[in-house]
Amino acid sequence: MPHPTPLQIAHGSATVISITLLSLFVVDEPSVAALAAIAVVALLLGAFTALAPWRGPAARRPAAQVTASATRAEPAPAAVPRPRVRA
């Protein structure tokens, strides 16, 4: 699994912070269980946002295309005759 890019990490972190703050503003007097649930939900949503499978360009192509393009050899360039240089 490839590592997330800095942009993905920033997007996931922003999701965690915004969901946590929004949830704390919505709940009047959160109990310890509510705080734990808010924290778990925010972390799961942030991780899903940062590591969503449809984010990368390789995930947009079907697997058959990925393997075919990865194993396909490029054709060799045509041989061009060089002119002879007389000394």
Side-chain angles (χ1 to χ4, degrees):
M1 182 175 184
H3 295 287
T5 64
L7 183 61
Q8 288 174 317
I9 293 172
H11 193 245
S13 299
T15 302
V16 170
I17 292 168
S18 62
I19 292 296
T20 303
L21 290 178
L22 181 68
S23 299
L24 289 175
F25 284 134
V26 170
V27 177
D28 290 333
E29 293 181 18
S31 63
V32 174
L35 288 176
I38 289 170
V40 168
V41 168
L43 287 174
L44 288 176
L45 283 175
F48 181 74
T49 302
L51 303 175
W54 58 82
R55 298 281 179 196
R60 292 187 187 123
R61 294 189 293 175
Q65 285 183 341
V66 172
T67 57
S69 64
T71 59
R72 183 178 5 168
E74 293 294 323
V80 178
R82 291 185 175 173
R84 294 186 185 183
V85 178
R86 295 185 182 186

